[in-house]
């Protein structure tokens, strides 16, 4: 990845994840800034979706095998992103609610 493409790549990565998991939008933004692995996973998802959207440009003899390959990659990455988001959501909050509860 070229350094001048980083903001655009990150934006596409966020968009790809939010399209699939809109209920986790805030968590996606937080994890993108906190986890390089999560960001890489989302960038790969965006790239795989882009490749799949351009499948009609692949020569007809290769099209169906490439479609299956890219769809399989998209499905796997969606599963991985979802697993991270659900695991993150299952963690206890790391903040004290305000005002604190009175017992």
């Amino acid at each position: 990845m070229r350094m001048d493409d980083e903001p655009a790549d990150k934006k596409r990565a966020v968009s790809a994840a939010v399209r699939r998991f809109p209920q986790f939008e805030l968590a996606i933004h937080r994890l993108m800034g906190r986890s390089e692995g999560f960001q890489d996973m989302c960038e790969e998802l965006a790239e795989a979706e882009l490749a799949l959207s351009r499948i009609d440009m692949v020569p007809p003899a290769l099209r169906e095998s490439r479609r299956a390959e890219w769809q399989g990659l998209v499905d796997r990455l969606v599963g991985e992103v979802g697993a991270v988001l659900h695991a993150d959501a299952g963690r206890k909050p790391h903040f004290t609610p305000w005002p604190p509860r009175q017992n």
Side-chain angles (χ1 to χ4, degrees):
M1 168 173 49
R2 293 185 349 231
M3 292 302 286
D4 59 341
D5 286 342
E6 275 189 54
D9 289 343
K10 187 173 181 178
K11 186 174 182 177
R12 281 190 292 271
V14 167
S15 293
V18 170
R19 260 192 320 278
R20 301 290 182 147
F21 302 98
Q23 71 276 28
F24 291 110
E25 184 171 2
L26 293 176
I28 290 166
H29 285 280
R30 185 172 35 78
L31 285 166
M32 289 293 284
R34 185 176 85 184
S35 171
E36 189 174 324
F38 183 76
Q39 181 175 337
D40 289 345
M41 197 182 313
C42 292
E43 287 175 359
E44 287 179 34
L45 174 59
E47 290 172 13
E49 287 180 338
L50 180 62
L52 189 58
S53 75
R54 295 179 175 171
I55 198 68
D56 291 335
M57 292 191 261
V58 174
L62 301 174
R63 193 170 295 153
E64 287 311 309
S65 64
R66 292 292 183 254
R67 183 186 320 273
E69 177 183 341
W70 287 113
Q71 186 63 60
L73 181 58
V74 166
D75 294 344
R76 181 180 61 80
L77 289 165
V78 166
E80 291 177 12
V81 168
V84 170
L85 291 170
H86 283 93
D88 183 68
R91 293 187 185 140
K92 289 186 177 181
H94 298 282
F95 64 91
T96 304
W98 192 258
R101 284 191 228 165
Q102 301 294 320
N103 292 333

